[in-house]
Amino acid sequence: MVNFENFTLSNGLRVYVHEDHTSPTAVLNILYNVGSRDENPDKTGFAHLFEHLMFGGSINIPNYDEPLQRVGGDNNAFTSPDITNYYITLPSVNIETAFWLESDRMLSLSFDPEVLEVQRKVVIEEFKQRYLNQPYGDIWLKLRPLAYEKHPYQWATIGKEISHIENATMEDVKAFFAKYYTPNNAVMVVAGDVTLNQVKALSQKWFEPIPPGVSVSRKLPVEPPQKARRFLEVEAHVPTDALYMTFHMPGRFDENYLPTDLMSDMLGRGKSSRLYKQLVSNDRIFNSLSGYVLGSVDPGLLVVTGKLAEGHGLEEAENRIWEVLNSFVNQGFSNKELEKVKNKAESTLVFSEVELLNRAMNLAYAAVNEIPDYVNKEVDLIREVDAENIREQAKNILTVENSTVMYYKSKKA
């Protein structure tokens, strides 16, 4: 149970407080309601670029890490298609340092041209290393625009192409910051060895003077239902042939998300899953094979991916996956199978919340989606999923018409 109280500052910043006095530590987590789905299709990669720029110095603090390290703190951030999240962990006695640092960069970055050039180079190098020069690294650069025709999930968080970051101007950067990095477009969670009154006082001192921005109205294009199989074959210098399949599915907080998530677990989570047992352990068609969901807020993707064993072709491998999927749809599953994945999902969630930081991030994520109580309801929602829920989703989702398939062939020397 994640107990919390909350209040909203006059500038629109929503603040949630989770008290846990078992350890003299604290977390300050700020989640900005902006991800790669909010970018201009001609200027992608900005949400991720900002994750880097936010550590490049603010209006009064040229070096973000140094004062935090002096008080025993640590920090990091991550970007997704839906959000950008920043967090600090530190001894609770030094919590005001976190308020000072985060409020100053929310107030304004330094917008130093040198910082932009340094972080631009860092992001471009990351693009090259992780997406272009790494085996299988460009999968989602190719697969996303194939699976999505309209929705901005069609590009990866890193961006569509390097040129979008290469050509980013200071005016572009300032405009993105002014639009999204505002108190009324953020949620702050302060967790750990703190009190509500303490957090209120510090929030009013450090954050309330920051002026609000213009409210962001999100009007994203809706992805139309997929009505025919989509296919792409690519060839590259990779160790072995690989197969990727995606299926459109409900978004993260849709009532049918958890049944679909549990279905993906039965099919592809771990060595006891349907796909792994049949096609890796028994028939040795694949060396590795898994199924999972991306978990995006808007309708997302269920993914099946595997690397083939020597002597087997991609067409054969795809057909064998369809055999397993069709068997699941037509013949169903046992109550034992269902209970097993429900127990796994519940235990994963419960054990993850042993960590104070995870509790803070989960609360921020639920809160920014206007359902903070979700953090305390998810276990019960998992328990409530029944076999009929999953059967219905299997019939709707695991169809040829709803599939996007990519053959990733190993180029022979």
Side-chain angles (χ1 to χ4, degrees):
M1 177 66 72
V2 182
N3 298 308
F4 62 87
E5 296 180 88
N6 65 287
F7 57 92
T8 302
L9 298 181
S10 60
N11 56 15
L13 178 65
R14 290 167 283 166
V15 184
Y16 290 78
V17 183
H18 167 56
E19 294 190 34
D20 179 352
H21 302 285
T22 57
S23 174
T25 58
V27 169
L28 190 149
N29 188 98
I30 292 191
L31 188 156
Y32 289 93
N33 192 9
V34 57
S36 56
R37 65 175 175 170
D38 298 298
E39 295 164 345
N40 184 315
D42 298 321
K43 295 180 179 181
T44 63
F46 273 65
H48 175 252
L49 174 62
F50 257 86
E51 178 195 324
H52 290 263
L53 288 174
M54 287 287 277
F55 293 98
S58 55
I59 192 167
N60 297 307
I61 306 167
N63 187 322
Y64 182 88
D65 288 330
E66 186 179 323
L68 185 60
Q69 290 167 354
R70 285 180 180 174
V71 296
D74 193 17
N75 72 93
N76 214 326
F78 62 87
T79 315
S80 81
D82 301 309
I83 61 164
T84 310
N85 194 76
Y86 301 85
Y87 57 88
I88 292 174
T89 59
L90 75 175
S92 55
V93 69
N94 296 324
I95 186 64
E96 189 164 7
T97 299
F99 277 83
W100 168 57
L101 288 168
E102 287 293 358
S103 64
D104 201 64
R105 63 179 180 178
M106 180 186 283
L107 176 64
S108 181
L109 293 182
S110 66
F111 296 115
D112 183 335
E114 288 187 17
V115 171
L116 174 58
E117 291 312 309
V118 168
Q119 298 306 326
R120 189 202 310 272
K121 290 176 182 177
V122 169
V123 171
I124 289 171
E125 188 60 29
E126 180 182 344
F127 200 123
K128 291 177 179 177
Q129 285 188 359
R130 291 182 56 192
Y131 294 84
L132 300 183
N133 300 330
Q134 182 172 292
Y136 313 103
D138 62 348
I139 288 159
W140 290 107
L141 297 180
K142 291 179 166 61
L143 200 50
R144 279 187 175 275
L146 188 64
Y148 288 98
E149 292 184 332
K150 299 288 186 182
H151 195 282
Y153 285 160
Q154 65 185 244
W155 56 83
T157 307
I158 194 75
K160 283 184 181 180
E161 52 189 69
I162 289 178
S163 63
H164 288 187
I165 298 302
E166 289 175 333
N167 298 329
T169 66
M170 183 61 75
E171 289 70 27
D172 293 332
V173 167
K174 287 182 177 180
F176 194 89
F177 183 85
K179 183 174 183 179
Y180 295 111
Y181 278 74
T182 63
N184 49 311
N185 197 50
V187 166
M188 180 167 72
V189 173
V190 185
D193 188 25
V194 296
T195 67
L196 176 64
N197 289 336
Q198 176 191 20
V199 173
K200 272 187 178 179
L202 290 172
S203 299
Q204 290 164 352
K205 175 182 177 180
W206 291 104
F207 283 93
E208 200 149 44
I210 302 172
V214 176
S215 295
V216 176
S217 177
R218 182 177 278 126
K219 296 179 181 177
L220 302 179
V222 176
E223 185 68 20
Q226 184 174 329
K227 296 181 179 179
R229 177 179 181 267
R230 297 171 189 164
F231 177 75
L232 177 67
E233 183 175 303
V234 299
E235 194 173 39
H237 291 291
V238 293
T240 186
D241 291 351
L243 177 65
Y244 299 87
M245 302 173 68
T246 71
F247 302 84
H248 290 278
M249 60 165 286
R252 179 66 181 85
F253 299 104
D254 187 280
E255 63 180 359
N256 291 315
Y257 173 83
L258 289 176
T260 308
D261 190 17
L262 292 173
M263 175 177 74
S264 76
D265 288 349
M266 279 193 273
L267 288 170
R269 181 182 180 182
K271 294 184 178 180
S272 63
S273 65
R274 290 280 187 100
L275 288 165
Y276 194 98
K277 282 171 65 177
Q278 187 63 48
L279 303 182
V280 179
S281 300
N282 295 346
D283 298 345
R284 303 188 184 280
I285 306 293
F286 290 85
N287 288 325
S288 62
L289 185 59
S290 63
Y292 56 91
V293 300
L294 295 186
S296 52
V297 171
D298 292 333
L301 298 175
L302 184 156
V303 183
V304 175
T305 174
K307 293 183 173 62
L308 274 65
E310 190 71 29
H312 295 279
L314 284 159
E315 188 173 343
E316 174 200 6
E318 184 191 353
N319 289 336
R320 293 303 304 276
I321 285 178
W322 279 114
E323 287 179 11
V324 176
L325 299 184
N326 290 333
S327 172
F328 186 87
V329 171
N330 296 323
Q331 299 175 25
F333 45 88
S334 67
N335 288 331
K336 183 178 179 181
E337 253 184 301
L338 177 55
E339 288 306 309
K340 180 180 175 183
V341 295
K342 287 169 76 170
N343 290 339
K344 272 189 177 181
E346 182 179 339
S347 63
T348 298
L349 183 60
V350 170
F351 282 121
S352 75
E353 292 191 343
V354 170
E355 294 290 334
L356 179 65
L357 176 58
N358 286 341
R359 274 175 270 154
M361 289 195 294
N362 290 344
L363 177 55
Y365 188 57
V368 82
N369 286 286
E370 309 291 347
I371 44 173
D373 285 334
Y374 191 86
V375 291
N376 295 318
K377 293 178 178 178
E378 190 168 7
V379 168
D380 289 334
L381 292 172
I382 290 170
R383 291 171 181 166
E384 290 170 7
V385 174
D386 61 29
E388 188 55 39
N389 296 147
I390 295 176
R391 289 192 198 99
E392 183 180 356
Q393 293 312 303
K395 289 177 183 177
N396 292 337
I397 293 169
L398 301 176
T399 68
V400 173
E401 295 78 15
N402 190 40
S403 68
T404 297
V405 180
M406 183 166 75
Y407 290 178
Y408 204 112
K409 285 191 169 182
S410 174
K411 185 181 288 188
K412 307 305 178 186

